[in-house]
Amino acid sequence: MDPDDYVVEARQAVAAKHLERAGIRIAPGQAVTYVIAGAGGLSKAVPIQLIRESSYRLEPYLRMLEKAAYMVLTPILESLGSLTEPMA
């Protein structure tokens, strides 16, 4: 979609608008990679092409990493636990 066609301020649309303001044209369907930078508004998503060191929020990425680790490790730990239980 064209960045101006988004009804909701989706992060990808916000990042695309940043790129267009920087003079980089975005075609509909083109992927826009971004980092979560601020709490909301136009600062909530900054395209990686425009990111500066330490200008993004670390907390959302730590939460995503924690959720991913939990989803991967929980079944493994549960299966290991069942291996160590005494057989009846």
Side-chain angles (χ1 to χ4, degrees):
M1 290 176 69
D2 187 274
D4 294 324
D5 292 340
Y6 280 88
V7 177
V8 178
E9 283 288 308
R11 286 184 177 140
Q12 185 168 352
V14 170
K17 288 177 185 178
H18 277 298
L19 287 173
E20 287 194 337
R21 285 188 184 107
I24 302 168
R25 182 75 185 129
I26 302 298
Q30 181 178 345
V32 176
T33 307
Y34 61 88
V35 296
I36 301 169
L42 289 179
S43 66
K44 71 179 178 182
V46 177
I48 60 168
Q49 296 93 327
L50 304 178
I51 199 73
R52 293 181 315 277
E53 187 176 333
S54 301
S55 63
Y56 60 92
R57 292 175 45 214
L58 184 59
E59 296 81 21
Y61 294 99
L62 292 175
R63 283 195 305 274
M64 287 186 258
L65 180 60
E66 181 180 11
K67 285 180 185 178
Y70 178 81
M71 297 218 30
V72 169
L73 295 176
T74 298
I76 295 169
L77 295 174
E78 287 174 353
S79 69
L80 289 174
S82 67
L83 293 176
T84 58
E85 293 175 6
M87 297 189 74

